[in-house]
């Protein structure tokens, strides 16, 4: 089968699809990626061809420095301004990239352009999600509304999913409709090109999907991409981690800060209040790069699957991929959510008892961070629960389970 994986997102929203594509290719499928140009090397290392999309999430993130810190509403306003022109261009590029394929697949970032392209090409689109979207249940609130009050009961909980799904698509709908008409020459409402089942790339030990006779949902386990065989830690990093005393990892991935120096000062204050050492991951500008010190080792980025099992605690922004990496490592984690689905994953980590309550970025202080770090170090019950959950997750092969679903189609 010829499969196009459309994943227009930040690295955390692209890397799991590279892992999925790698598994599909090894099973004999002809796979191509459609993703921002900056991830070409990620696909190349996995042995997958990729068609680059212009612009890219990193350029948008740089332009929007500090917007994510202001929360979901500010992020959606930015997207409403940025997306109309971009989606037309991405739709043209995706249409050209997907000529001759039998199937398109992706999550929300891929569906934005992929649904219309699949309809134009008259091929199915298989939904493969990293978040629990399109899955109403009374077990937990919608992914965009983790604060939804449980006292509203089962009906209220189902309503939260309806509202959450609408919110997730709010910024995309109008530019998607325009692209369908102006680029693809399609008219009328979007016609479904879906094919069952809907696949979810997270662990059933982390989140269960509701049973529905009308919708086949399959939670496969995480789609993890092994670290590149060419990557090796520096001797300085090995030495830093090998010294006595607890070490924590702190980084906010693709979430940029308006004043990274101030955030870094806050983080250092929390680290020193807790009396621990830290590996600081500066990412796209969430933290400022610093010279190494006795209690701090700074890096732009490090493979999570290598680093997280080697530290005593992790502080991250709550992206789906990073959350999965921390849970898989069996390491307690504090989520500092900025926007989108991040508050949901932060709430889920706390509900599982493998991390403290999340601290929204706007409310983060050195004292709160220090107290949470100390709790993760000292709370043996939390460490035990995190370790046991990690062991369960590591027995799963999410990529193999997803590939089997493709084969059954």
């Amino acid at each position: 089968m010829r499969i196009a994986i459309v994943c227009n997102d930040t690295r955390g929203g692209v890397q799991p699809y590279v892992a999925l594509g790698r598994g599909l290719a090894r099973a004999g499928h002809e796979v191509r990626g459609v993703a921002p140009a900056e991830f070409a090397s990620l696909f190349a290392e996995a042995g997958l061809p990729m068609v680059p999309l212009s612009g890219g999430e990193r350029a948008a993130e740089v332009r929007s420095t500090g917007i994510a810190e202001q929360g979901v509403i500010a992020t959606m306003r930015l997207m409403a301004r940025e997306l109309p022109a971009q989606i037309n261009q991405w739709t043209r590029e995706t249409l050209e990239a997907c000529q001759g394929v039998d199937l398109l697949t992706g999550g929300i970032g891929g569906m934005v352009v992929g649904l219309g392209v699949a309809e134009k090409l008259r091929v199915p689109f298989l939904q493969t999600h990293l978040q629990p979207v399109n899955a109403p249940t009374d077990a937990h609130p919608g992914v965009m509304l983790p604060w939804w009050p449980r006292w509203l009961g089962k009906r209220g909980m189902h309503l939260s999913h309806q509202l959450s799904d609408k919110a997730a698509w709010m910024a995309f709908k109008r530019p998607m409709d325009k692209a369908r008409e102006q680029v693809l020459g399609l008219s009328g409402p979007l016609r479904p090109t879906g094919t069952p089942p809907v696949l979810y790339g997270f662990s059933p030990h982390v989140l269960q999907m509701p049973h529905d006779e009308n919708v086949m949902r399959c939670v496969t386990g995480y789609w993890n991409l092994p670290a590149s065989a060419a990557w090796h830690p520096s001797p300085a990093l090995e030495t830093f981690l090998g010294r006595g005393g607890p070490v924590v990892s702190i980084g906010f991935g693709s979430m940029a800060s308006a004043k990274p120096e101030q955030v870094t000062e806050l983080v250092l204050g929390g680290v020193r209040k807790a009396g621990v050492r830290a590996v600081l991951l500066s990412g796209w500008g969430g933290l400022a790069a610093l010279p190494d010190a006795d209690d701090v080792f700074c890096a732009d980025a490090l493979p999570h699957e290598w680093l997280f099992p080697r530290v005593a605690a992790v502080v991250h922004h709550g992206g789906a991929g990073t959350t999965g990496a921390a849970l898989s490592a069996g390491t307690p984690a504090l989520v500092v959510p900025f926007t989108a689905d991040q508050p949901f994953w932060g709430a889920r980590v706390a509900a599982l008892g493998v991390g403290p309550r999340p601290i929204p970025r706007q409310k983060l202080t050195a004292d709160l961070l220090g107290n949470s770090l100390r709790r993760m170090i000292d709370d043996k019950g939390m460490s035990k629960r995190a370790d046991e959950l990690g062991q369960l997750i590591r027995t799963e092969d999410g990529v193999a389970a997803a590939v089997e679903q493709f084969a059954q189609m």
Side-chain angles (χ1 to χ4, degrees), residues 4 22 54 68 81 86 100 124 136 151 165 168 184 213 234 255 259-260 266 270 284 298 326 330 339 349 351 353 355:
R22 183 172 176 260
S54 60
R81 294 196 305 269
Q86 287 282 2
W151 56 261
D165 288 345
L184 302 175
E213 293 180 356
S234 68
M255 298 294 103
K259 297 178 179 179
L266 181 159
W284 283 7
C298 293
T339 187
V349 168

Side-chain angles (χ1 to χ4, degrees), residues 69-389:
E69 288 180 302
Q70 299 174 31
V72 174
I73 300 300
T75 303
M76 292 180 69
R77 285 175 177 166
L78 172 80
M79 292 170 68
R81 294 196 305 269
E82 293 268 345
L83 285 174
Q86 287 282 2
I87 286 182
N88 270 17
Q89 181 64 24
W90 290 335
T91 301
R92 291 188 193 94
E93 293 167 348
T94 303
L95 178 62
E96 183 177 349
C98 294
Q99 295 297 316
V101 303
D102 303 308
L103 174 80
L104 278 73
T105 189
I108 289 180
M111 291 169 70
V112 169
V113 294
L115 287 178
V117 169
E119 182 182 342
K120 178 69 174 179
L121 297 176
R122 298 184 179 181
V123 298
F125 190 104
L126 175 64
Q127 295 185 41
T128 47
H129 291 293
L130 306 179
Q131 299 86 9
V133 297
N134 301 330
T137 177
D138 57 24
H140 58 78
V143 70
M144 300 292 284
L145 299 170
W147 46 265
W148 193 263
R150 291 186 176 272
W151 56 261
L152 289 174
K154 292 185 177 181
R155 285 188 177 182
M157 202 63 74
H158 277 266
L159 175 62
S160 79
H161 286 268
Q162 296 172 21
L163 296 175
S164 180
D165 288 345
K166 286 183 181 295
W169 288 103
M170 189 179 300
F172 301 115
K173 187 179 185 308
R174 185 172 295 179
M176 284 172 67
D177 289 343
K178 287 184 177 180
R180 288 182 73 252
E181 180 180 347
Q182 297 172 0
V183 179
L184 302 175
L186 300 172
S187 59
L190 179 69
R191 289 187 286 276
T193 56
T195 182
V198 180
L199 305 186
Y200 295 91
F202 45 78
S203 171
H205 294 291
V206 174
L207 200 64
Q208 292 278 352
M209 288 290 95
H211 174 71
D212 188 330
E213 293 180 356
N214 299 315
V215 181
M216 184 178 175
R217 299 185 178 95
C218 180
V219 182
T220 65
Y222 286 104
W223 304 329
N224 294 321
L225 186 67
S228 169
W231 185 86
H232 297 284
S234 68
L237 175 57
E238 295 252 47
T239 299
F240 184 83
L241 292 174
R243 287 162 46 195
V247 180
V248 302
S249 168
I250 303 178
F252 303 129
S254 59
M255 298 294 103
S257 298
K259 297 178 179 179
E261 293 81 7
Q262 290 185 8
V263 180
T264 306
E265 184 177 351
L266 181 159
V267 166
L268 289 176
V271 166
R272 286 159 184 167
K273 176 181 175 61
V276 297
R277 292 181 297 118
V279 176
L280 300 187
L281 306 176
S282 58
W284 283 7
L287 296 172
L290 293 175
D292 295 339
D294 287 344
D295 60 348
V296 173
F297 184 96
C298 293
D300 177 32
L302 294 169
H304 291 164
E305 62 276 12
W306 183 91
L307 176 64
F308 289 175
R310 289 169 168 79
V311 296
V314 177
V315 179
H316 63 86
H317 61 297
T322 309
T323 299
L327 294 174
S328 299
T331 305
L334 167 68
V335 174
V336 179
F338 286 60
T339 187
D341 60 327
Q342 298 162 14
F344 176 87
W345 291 118
R348 192 68 200 140
V349 168
L352 290 166
V354 296
R357 291 181 60 182
I359 305 173
R361 167 62 193 93
Q362 302 96 316
K363 297 182 179 181
L364 185 67
T365 65
D367 283 344
L368 287 175
L369 176 59
N371 292 338
S372 294
L373 288 172
R374 199 64 253 171
R375 181 185 171 193
M376 288 189 286
I377 299 298
D378 295 338
D379 190 332
K380 302 306 180 186
M382 181 182 290
S383 296
K384 185 173 184 290
R385 288 189 295 272
D387 179 62
E388 291 173 346
L389 178 59

